[in-house]
Amino acid sequence: MKPDSDPEDLQPPAYEALIQFLYQAPIGLLQIRPDGTVTMMNPRSAQLLMPLARQGNLDNLFEVLDEVAPDLRAMADAAIEPGALVCEGLRMPVTPTTGSRRVLGISLLRLDAHTIMGCVNDVTHEVELEQQRLASRMRDASRTDSLTLMPNRSAVLERIQQALARPDASGAPTFAVLFINCDRFNRVNLTLGQAGGDRLLRMVAERLNGTVRQRDAVGPAREPLHTTARLGGDEFVVLLDGLRGSEDVHSIAQRLIDTLSRPYLIDGVEVHISASIGVVAGNHAAAEANAVLQDASLAMQEAKRAGGGRHVLFTPSIKDIATRRGALEVELRRALEQSELFVVYQPIVELADGRVAGFEALVRWQHPQRGLVSPVEFIEIAEECGLIGAVGEFVLDSACRQLAAWQRRFGAQAPGMVSVNLSRAQLQDAVITDQVARVLESSGLPAQALQLEVTESMAAQGDDIRARLLELKALGIALALDDFGTGYSSLACLGQLPIDTVKIDRSFVSDAESNLHKRVLIEATVRVARSLGMSTTAEGIETEGQAALLATLDCNKGQGYLWSRPLAAPAATQWLAERIGAADPMPAETHPSAAAPLRAASGFRA
Ligand code: C2E
Ligand code: MG
Ligand code: MG
């Protein structure tokens, strides 16, 4: 339409057609003067604008739209150049007296000094579509992990729930959930900073996506529907759906571990991590997606506990253990407050003459309902929940005070040393040196009367642990390497550790008499230790035969049920008194070790 052409110029059929067009156009067309006076308006315009008109008066557009577009008049005044846009697609809500709320869109264009033309249309549907699109974009964003652009926790939970609701013909669900946690990720974050850590996580995500063939939810129904997702931090989830056999899960889990363990190059630095995976297979799955993820996470923690870089299949017993752990943690806090912990003492004797060289202090927990709880059960929990510092200090303090008391009571005949176990977490904490110094001071025990036991695997760890061991040694205390033979370090590494005594593990001692290989290993350990100026103690000696053999092999000291089980302080004191009273040391040559062991005194036995 050319609005400024004179209708008289048009041929009658064309004019007719134009009128028809104006009348029937499904869009509102109108023409106004700059003050808003309507000079032309087609029926669609009138129909659309009528709900806004007061008393049905459509004479002035600005007055009609005064409430919904109050600035329109000013906008028209500002657009004075011919061809200037007054507004384009300006949206106006309309609430008719009947029917639902609509939205009108209006565009106005200045034609010349006297004329503004415009069009009005109903954009309700368009606005609704836009809102839907926006809502779905927001929904996607709330279901997407912004760092990796993978589905996030809520998205994967939804898919797990869908998988749970889709059992196979036999009724068994055909999916597996793999809960992945990167091992040693914290160290990467510390060395490369957060930006480096983020890059690593994106690379992990890419490798996961590349390893697990993915099918979108809209894919053919019989194709497997695999999903990779990030839960947050260094935790990822892979949902394998449409599986056939359980071998699939194991080989995929292993493939993921292999892929994630390959080195990463970040800012020219080669970074190594591995992954621990907890697997929930359909047949062990809980009924609810959140519970499935929790179970998979428990299995993942088991994989970590076992050293990481592996996958563990969830079984109900894993959950039982976790529940028991949780309960123990709460109870252990109470145990510390209510003095349910106590220390037992096991003698360590000189194999050559049976003299009592010292005692090893071992912690016990007298639980009001469960009875006596083994340290094997609760030391690890204490480490995990940050209670090990308090437990460790309690044992150290009790042991030092006890030896000081024995030294006061038995004088020169008192044992010269007490040995206290340190756990990994204690050794990782820089406060340990101060703690030991403080306890020595408050108990009045000379530093050389205290021995601290660390295990091979702890001692063999990084430079910071080594530095800590040297700090401790600088206090004047002795260090023993506990459970030697069960860990990773070999005889060749012994010389690199700042230790004074090697404690040969019970597993070597128990069958040394019948197993030549073990005997040879003990002999070699004794020889190497001696050449390095270290002494040796054999753990777990239960028979006189074992004691005699170890003495023949030149091992210095022995510890085990043969002499005594670990005893609570009063029983240990009594044991010591009897031992000292009965001391009638035979000449060493005629003494085949501590050949006349005094049986454990009556009293508490642990
Ligand atoms: P460990 O330091 O190697 O302690 C020796 C363990 O062997 C003790 O077990 C002791 O009761 C047991 N044992 C001693 N002689 C014999 C024997 O002749 N035959 C047999 N079968 N066993 C014997 P316990 O007291 O259950 O302690 C187990 C482990 O728990 C200890 O191994 C030590 O690693 C840890 N532990 C104990 N007390 C503490 C503690 O206060 N702090 C820390 N961090 N760990 C502790
Ligand atoms: Mg020990
Ligand atoms: Mg040991």
Side-chain angles (χ1 to χ4, degrees), residues 482-541:
D482 205 356
D483 306 339
F484 185 77
T486 57
Y488 313 98
S489 58
S490 64
L491 279 175
C493 300
L494 264 187
Q496 293 159 16
L497 299 168
I499 50 165
D500 306 278
T501 297
V502 180
K503 294 189 78 172
I504 300 166
D505 190 67
R506 179 158 59 91
S507 56
F508 288 81
V509 174
S510 59
D511 52 0
E513 288 168 291
S514 56
N515 185 326
L516 179 65
H517 176 67
K518 296 266 174 81
R519 205 158 61 227
V520 169
L521 276 171
I522 294 173
E523 216 172 351
T525 307
V526 171
R527 225 179 273 147
V528 172
R530 177 161 299 176
S531 71
L532 292 166
M534 301 167 182
S535 76
T536 42
T537 301
E539 297 184 294
I541 296 185

Side-chain angles (χ1 to χ4, degrees), residues 57-346:
N57 180 353
L58 289 173
D59 292 347
N60 187 300
L61 183 70
F62 296 154
E63 281 169 21
V64 171
L65 300 181
D66 193 34
E67 260 179 34
V68 289
D71 300 331
L72 206 53
R73 191 187 295 270
M75 287 158 76
D77 290 346
I80 38 178
E81 290 298 316
L85 266 176
V86 175
C87 62
E88 188 179 27
L90 182 71
R91 293 198 170 154
M92 303 170 301
V94 181
T95 313
T97 44
T98 58
S100 55
R101 193 169 165 273
R102 323 246 4 121
V103 181
L104 298 186
I106 187 165
S107 302
L108 295 176
L109 179 84
R110 166 77 72 164
L111 286 185
D112 54 37
H114 315 290
T115 324
I116 293 173
M117 70 158 286
C119 67
V120 191
N121 52 357
D122 185 339
V123 293
T124 311
H125 185 57
E126 203 175 296
V127 168
E128 278 168 5
L129 280 180
E130 252 170 42
Q131 280 169 351
Q132 277 166 16
R133 268 200 300 274
L134 199 68
S136 110
R137 269 222 301 278
M138 280 171 61
R139 207 168 95 88
D140 283 352
S142 74
R143 292 155 44 83
T144 303
D145 170 58
S146 56
L147 181 70
T148 58
L149 303 181
M150 281 175 153
N152 63 8
R153 175 186 287 270
S154 46
V156 78
L157 278 174
E158 215 168 85
R159 293 201 189 176
I160 294 173
Q161 202 62 56
Q162 286 163 4
L164 281 166
R166 201 180 335 106
D168 74 358
S170 68
T174 54
F175 70 93
V177 173
L178 280 64
F179 193 110
I180 303 166
N181 188 295
C182 301
D183 299 333
R184 294 187 293 277
F185 180 75
N186 274 354
R187 249 193 6 221
V188 175
N189 242 358
L190 281 178
T191 41
L192 295 180
Q194 185 167 351
D198 284 355
R199 283 190 52 196
L200 178 63
L201 290 173
R202 275 195 290 265
M203 290 163 102
V204 167
E206 274 165 31
R207 289 194 191 177
L208 285 178
N209 285 336
T211 313
V212 180
R213 268 184 321 131
Q214 292 194 71
R215 290 282 178 280
D216 198 52
V218 293
R222 250 175 267 124
E223 289 282 357
L225 299 167
H226 299 334
T227 303
T228 51
R230 175 169 174 251
L231 298 182
D234 59 346
E235 287 180 344
F236 294 84
V237 165
V238 171
L239 165 64
L240 301 171
D241 206 352
L243 288 174
R244 267 152 289 124
S246 66
E247 318 93 86
D248 282 347
V249 183
H250 293 291
S251 62
I252 294 174
Q254 195 48 55
R255 208 160 71 223
L256 287 172
I257 291 169
D258 294 343
T259 312
L260 296 182
S261 307
R262 286 199 329 264
Y264 300 76
L265 201 64
I266 295 175
D267 296 334
V269 179
E270 205 171 270
V271 176
H272 295 261
I273 57 166
S274 62
S276 297
I277 302 186
V279 182
V280 168
N283 50 346
H284 276 141
E288 210 265 320
N290 243 321
V292 172
L293 264 197
Q294 257 165 31
D295 289 349
S297 159
L298 289 179
M300 180 279 290
Q301 287 162 32
E302 278 302 308
K304 271 222 188 293
R305 232 171 251 129
R310 67 193 68 208
H311 71 278
V312 166
L313 185 67
F314 174 81
T315 57
S317 72
I318 288 183
K319 191 174 194 143
D320 295 344
I321 293 168
T323 312
R324 188 169 152 80
R325 255 172 203 284
L328 274 182
E329 183 182 327
V330 174
E331 290 169 357
L332 188 55
R333 284 179 200 280
R334 187 206 56 207
L336 270 165
E337 284 162 16
Q338 311 205 337
S339 311
E340 291 169 16
L341 298 185
F342 65 103
V343 178
V344 292
Y345 299 88
Q346 186 177 36

Side-chain angles (χ1 to χ4, degrees), residues 342-346 359 362 364 402 406 564-575 601-606:
F342 65 103
V343 178
V344 292
Y345 299 88
Q346 186 177 36
F359 282 84
L362 296 155
R364 295 288 181 269
Q402 186 58 59
W406 282 332
S564 171
R565 286 179 179 255
L567 301 167
T573 307
Q574 195 185 340
W575 183 91
S602 56
F604 182 85
R605 285 162 144 249

